[in-house]
Amino acid sequence: MEVITLKRISQVLGLSISTVSRALKNHPDISQNTKTRVHELANSLDYEPNINAISLRSKKNNLIGLIVPTISGFFYDSFISAVETECRKNGYTLMILQSGNDAEQETESLKICRQNRVTGLFVCLSTKTKSMDAFMKVKDADIPLVFFDKVPTEPNYNKVSIDDVTASKFAANLIIKKKHKEILAIFGNENLSITKTRLNTFNEICSKTKDVVVDNKYCSSSDEARELVRKIFTKKKKPTAIFCMSDEILIGVVKSIQELKINIPNEVAIVAMSDGMLPTMITPEITYVETSGYKLGLLAFEQMIKCINGAEGNANLFTTSTIVTGKSI
Amino acid sequence: MEVITLKRISQVLGLSISTVSRALKNHPDISQNTKTRVHELANSLDYEPNINAISLRSKKNNLIGLIVPTISGFFYDSFISAVETECRKNGYTLMILQSGNDAEQETESLKICRQNRVTGLFVCLSTKTKSMDAFMKVKDADIPLVFFDKVPTEPNYNKVSIDDVTASKFAANLIIKKKHKEILAIFGNENLSITKTRLNTFNEICSKTKDVVVDNKYCSSSDEARELVRKIFTKKKKPTAIFCMSDEILIGVVKSIQELKINIPNEVAIVAMSDGMLPTMITPEITYVETSGYKLGLLAFEQMIKCINGAEGNANLFTTSTIVTGKSI
DNA sequence: GTGAAAGCGCTAACAA
DNA sequence: TTGTTAGCGCTTTCAC
């Protein structure tokens, strides 16, 4: 079926294109009669302005890009949900690209965003990003850029992330307060900065209390965590508490513990950092430090709007974590 | 910073815009020397073609719209993930809009898609959609339209959904085969068509075997299911098997059962329908009929491509379910 | 109160 | 081998 344009409407009504354009925008110059005629025809023909044409002419665009390793999961989906909600409220539309944690796909996604002349760009770095060059170019092109979750180490970018320091402190203090001395702390991918921060903070707090021994481990998957716990808990000397840096690790840990029929919290206490969905699904409910994707999404969007409105400088923001008390410690 | 256009490149090189355009596309007419010069400059200036201009001129668009109640959850996020992956492979970009199960927001999203001249549109109906008029218009505008999960009842649309009939049969047969006679079957929102289908099929199968008694219940949340199970399992006469229509229900059921320290599968068997994430996280792993969002996404995209390529008629497709054997029955 | 014309960035038919 | 021109749909300045 024919696509309706201003031209088409102008032909039908015997008006010029510019008159139709102005009538549709209720421009004061146009007579009421003309306005009515134009609006009525436009409605009956289901006219919708062509955004491509508008963007081209105005050099403005209501598209906002978002590059993320993967959409599905415990954290990013709620982050994206928050961002979409805010975008809608502010008249923007979201373009989502998955990098699949692949540097090449990430670069490709970046290119797509640039070609689409996005007004702003949210990026969660892939684990394999080697160079920030491409992002530097985005900045140079004056495209507001807000990194979230996996953010670059360089200071000259806008970043929003979980307050890993506070969150880790909360978790460590929780465990220390309950007098645990033998702690198994399991962390994710060794190379990620969030891993480093969480590990360092957690250990720093623990080291302040006498006799506390922390056994730090890295696991890059649920299954690895599961296997690790299985091994450790079939030994004679068992930790009395486990700290899980993420939902992914928590899954593996809980599976092993349940399989070994070890009682939580009597035989082992568990404290996790989590988006919140998982801990409440487990019996007993796991005590965790909330690291909400949704909250982070709101914060990220807030910063984005500031950038779009011309804010200078580079913000480095954090969401505040809260402890959600379950029955696992 | 200045945005680079063909015009800009042509000025620097003293060439015409069209020559630059052709050189960048490696048009055979253009001399190797010119091509090289153009490419080099374009690269060094980080030229990216303006998609808006291309779309406007070509009347083609690589945007595909997707309207969904909410991005986050067990099912839609993996659906979207699949669709994005396929879009990328095929040179399309995904625009995601949340309806929030609100009819007005759904209409608004539809409008945005039309204004953006999307090449195709995926829609999961909101629970509050009253009229299909707006979608009819999309069809009339020859925009390929593929409904998924919550699909309209009218036959004249492309639809892809979980094969609820087969999936429910699988689940029922699994339970029957294990000689269970007292079955508690818990379903979701009573008004949804998927609920009706699943309930009817499940009961139909069960009714074929002598002495099997099914206790059908509706629960619209995890907590409701949890409470329900708690009540039922504190009575004297307990069911020997529970069927859970969805992940949401499964969560509540398992929590209650674990709280009551009832052994799975010795004291009660559990069979669920699930996207697959949850059942493997529970100990013992829950046997379930897989209703994969990812698979459905692949199927939906396949149909979309057919439509884009001009396929006639309206497909009504279903993903095939498979039984994933755990240790809960 | 309305129209003509230019131009956003790009491509392609036609000319040279 | 390269340039000129028109036009995609829209907005806006300037003219009438």
Side-chain angles (χ1 to χ4, degrees):
Chain A
M1 209 170 126
E2 184 200 0
V3 180
I4 307 302
T5 64
L6 294 185
K7 190 180 183 182
R8 186 85 191 81
I9 295 178
S10 71
Q11 286 167 343
V12 175
L13 260 32
L15 290 166
S16 74
I17 295 175
S18 40
T19 302
V20 174
S21 171
R22 281 179 285 221
L24 283 172
K25 304 199 120 51
N26 286 312
H27 193 286
D29 280 358
I30 306 297
S31 74
Q32 192 50 58
N33 178 37
T34 305
K35 279 183 189 167
T36 314
R37 288 174 63 216
V38 170
H39 273 114
E40 277 177 0
L41 184 60
N43 279 334
S44 76
L45 294 179
D46 272 314
Y47 169 75
E48 292 291 355
N50 185 325
I51 293 247
N52 284 310
I54 294 176
S55 298
L56 181 60
R57 212 208 108 100
S58 66
K59 300 193 181 197
K60 282 188 199 314
N61 204 318
N62 52 3
L63 262 190
I64 289 188
L66 188 156
I67 303 176
V68 70
T70 171
I71 292 166
S72 64
F74 288 107
F75 187 78
Y76 296 133
D77 58 343
S78 36
F79 178 91
I80 296 171
S81 185
V83 170
E84 197 281 337
T85 304
E86 294 304 303
C87 277
R88 170 182 301 273
K89 282 189 205 159
N90 291 271
Y92 293 103
T93 310
L94 238 204
M95 222 179 72
I96 300 181
L97 292 304
Q98 293 180 117
S99 72
N101 271 324
D102 178 83
E104 216 172 300
Q105 265 194 52
E106 187 173 69
T107 310
E108 180 62 27
S109 303
L110 214 45
K111 191 182 201 166
I112 293 173
C113 287
R114 300 199 57 186
Q115 295 182 342
N116 278 279
R117 303 292 189 263
V118 294
T119 291
L121 184 54
F122 295 102
V123 178
C124 170
L125 288 174
S126 95
T127 48
K128 302 219 189 65
T129 309
K130 330 146 231 208
S131 151
M132 292 297 291
D133 289 359
F135 294 106
M136 204 58 229
K137 285 181 188 167
V138 171
K139 268 203 76 171
D140 287 345
D142 280 329
I143 300 172
L145 180 57
V146 175
F147 287 95
F148 66 96
D149 197 47
K150 309 276 187 301
V151 304
T153 46
E154 291 89 332
N156 53 327
Y157 291 103
N158 286 292
K159 311 177 219 175
V160 301
S161 29
I162 300 295
D163 181 356
D164 287 313
V165 171
T166 309
S168 311
K169 275 185 190 166
F170 279 164
N173 281 326
L174 218 54
I175 295 173
I176 296 291
K177 216 166 61 185
K178 293 280 184 174
K179 312 273 186 220
H180 289 280
K181 300 292 181 189
E182 310 276 326
I183 305 169
L184 170 61
I186 311 180
F187 299 88
N189 188 317
E190 191 166 356
N191 301 311
L192 289 178
S193 73
I194 60 165
T195 302
K196 288 173 192 158
T197 309
R198 292 179 186 190
L199 187 140
N200 291 339
T201 313
F202 188 86
N203 280 273
E204 197 187 312
I205 297 290
C206 290
S207 68
K208 286 182 186 157
T209 306
K210 220 183 118 198
D211 295 338
V212 169
V213 181
V214 182
D215 182 13
N216 293 304
K217 298 285 181 191
Y218 297 107
C219 290
S220 52
S221 74
S222 255
D223 285 337
E224 236 179 77
R226 183 178 176 185
E227 184 55 22
L228 175 78
V229 169
R230 201 188 56 71
K231 272 189 188 146
I232 291 182
F233 278 80
T234 43
K235 286 183 190 161
K236 249 174 289 176
K237 191 143 176 67
K238 300 179 181 68
T240 63
I242 307 176
F243 167 67
C244 307
M245 190 196 94
S246 67
D247 276 313
E248 211 180 359
I249 288 165
L250 178 62
I251 294 176
V253 168
V254 168
K255 286 202 74 165
S256 253
I257 293 295
Q258 291 187 343
E259 282 161 0
L260 295 167
K261 299 201 194 308
I262 295 171
N263 183 280
I264 309 169
N266 295 334
E267 296 175 75
V268 70
I270 296 182
V271 171
M273 289 176 65
S274 163
D275 190 32
M277 166 76 98
L278 199 53
T280 59
M281 280 165 25
I282 294 167
T283 311
E285 295 192 1
I286 303 296
T287 294
Y288 66 99
V289 182
E290 186 209 51
T291 55
S292 156
Y294 200 89
K295 254 187 178 171
L296 192 63
L298 297 182
L299 185 65
F301 191 84
E302 210 181 298
Q303 181 56 30
M304 176 61 78
I305 284 293
K306 282 185 190 157
C307 292
I308 291 175
N309 291 336
E312 292 292 320
N314 298 295
N316 190 11
L317 306 173
F318 298 94
T319 52
T320 55
S321 299
T322 52
I323 296 171
V324 181
T325 307
K327 292 170 177 168
S328 65
I329 185 163
Chain B
M1 208 173 125
E2 184 199 0
V3 180
I4 307 301
T5 65
L6 294 185
K7 190 179 183 181
R8 186 85 193 81
I9 295 178
S10 71
Q11 286 166 343
V12 175
L13 260 32
L15 289 167
S16 74
I17 297 175
S18 46
T19 301
V20 175
S21 171
R22 280 178 287 219
L24 283 172
K25 305 198 121 50
N26 284 311
H27 194 287
D29 280 358
I30 307 297
S31 74
Q32 192 49 56
N33 178 36
T34 305
K35 280 184 190 167
T36 313
R37 288 174 64 217
V38 170
H39 274 114
E40 278 175 359
L41 184 60
N43 279 335
S44 76
L45 294 180
D46 271 314
Y47 169 76
E48 293 291 353
N50 185 326
I51 293 248
N52 284 310
I54 294 175
S55 297
L56 181 60
R57 210 207 111 99
S58 66
K59 300 195 182 194
K60 282 189 198 315
N61 203 317
N62 53 3
L63 261 191
I64 288 189
L66 188 154
I67 303 176
V68 70
T70 171
I71 291 166
S72 63
F74 285 110
F75 187 79
Y76 295 134
D77 59 341
S78 37
F79 180 91
I80 295 171
S81 184
V83 170
E84 197 280 337
T85 303
E86 294 304 303
C87 277
R88 168 182 301 272
K89 282 189 205 160
N90 291 270
Y92 292 103
T93 309
L94 239 205
M95 222 179 72
I96 300 181
L97 292 304
Q98 294 181 118
S99 72
N101 271 324
D102 177 83
E104 215 172 300
Q105 264 195 51
E106 188 173 71
T107 310
E108 181 60 28
S109 302
L110 215 44
K111 190 182 200 167
I112 293 173
C113 287
R114 300 200 56 186
Q115 294 183 342
N116 278 279
R117 302 295 189 265
V118 294
T119 292
L121 183 54
F122 294 101
V123 178
C124 171
L125 288 175
S126 94
T127 48
K128 300 216 191 66
T129 309
K130 332 144 228 212
S131 152
M132 292 296 291
D133 290 359
F135 295 106
M136 202 60 229
K137 284 181 189 165
V138 171
K139 269 203 75 172
D140 287 346
D142 280 329
I143 300 171
L145 179 58
V146 175
F147 287 95
F148 66 94
D149 197 45
K150 308 277 187 300
V151 304
T153 46
E154 290 90 331
N156 53 326
Y157 290 103
N158 287 293
K159 311 177 220 176
V160 301
S161 28
I162 299 295
D163 182 355
D164 287 311
V165 171
T166 308
S168 312
K169 276 185 189 166
F170 279 164
N173 282 325
L174 216 56
I175 296 173
I176 297 290
K177 215 168 61 186
K178 293 280 186 175
K179 312 273 185 219
H180 289 280
K181 300 293 181 187
E182 310 276 324
I183 305 169
L184 170 61
I186 312 181
F187 300 88
N189 188 317
E190 192 166 356
N191 301 311
L192 289 178
S193 73
I194 60 166
T195 302
K196 288 172 192 161
T197 309
R198 292 178 185 189
L199 186 141
N200 291 339
T201 314
F202 188 87
N203 281 271
E204 198 188 312
I205 297 291
C206 290
S207 68
K208 285 184 187 157
T209 305
K210 221 181 117 197
D211 295 338
V212 169
V213 181
V214 181
D215 183 12
N216 294 303
K217 299 284 183 193
Y218 297 107
C219 291
S220 52
S221 75
S222 255
D223 286 337
E224 237 178 76
R226 183 179 178 184
E227 185 54 23
L228 175 79
V229 168
R230 200 188 56 71
K231 273 190 187 147
I232 291 183
F233 278 80
T234 42
K235 287 183 190 163
K236 249 175 290 175
K237 190 142 179 67
K238 300 179 181 67
T240 63
I242 307 176
F243 167 67
C244 308
M245 191 197 93
S246 67
D247 276 312
E248 212 181 357
I249 289 165
L250 178 62
I251 294 175
V253 167
V254 169
K255 286 200 76 166
S256 253
I257 293 295
Q258 291 187 343
E259 282 160 0
L260 295 167
K261 299 201 193 308
I262 295 170
N263 182 279
I264 308 171
N266 295 334
E267 297 175 75
V268 70
I270 296 181
V271 171
M273 287 175 66
S274 163
D275 190 34
M277 166 76 97
L278 199 52
T280 58
M281 278 164 28
I282 295 166
T283 311
E285 295 193 1
I286 304 296
T287 295
Y288 66 99
V289 182
E290 185 207 52
T291 55
S292 156
Y294 200 88
K295 253 187 176 172
L296 192 63
L298 297 181
L299 184 65
F301 191 85
E302 210 180 297
Q303 182 58 28
M304 177 61 79
I305 284 293
K306 282 185 188 156
C307 292
I308 291 174
N309 291 337
E312 293 291 322
N314 299 293
N316 189 11
L317 307 173
F318 298 94
T319 51
T320 55
S321 298
T322 51
I323 296 171
V324 180
T325 307
K327 291 170 178 168
S328 64
I329 185 164

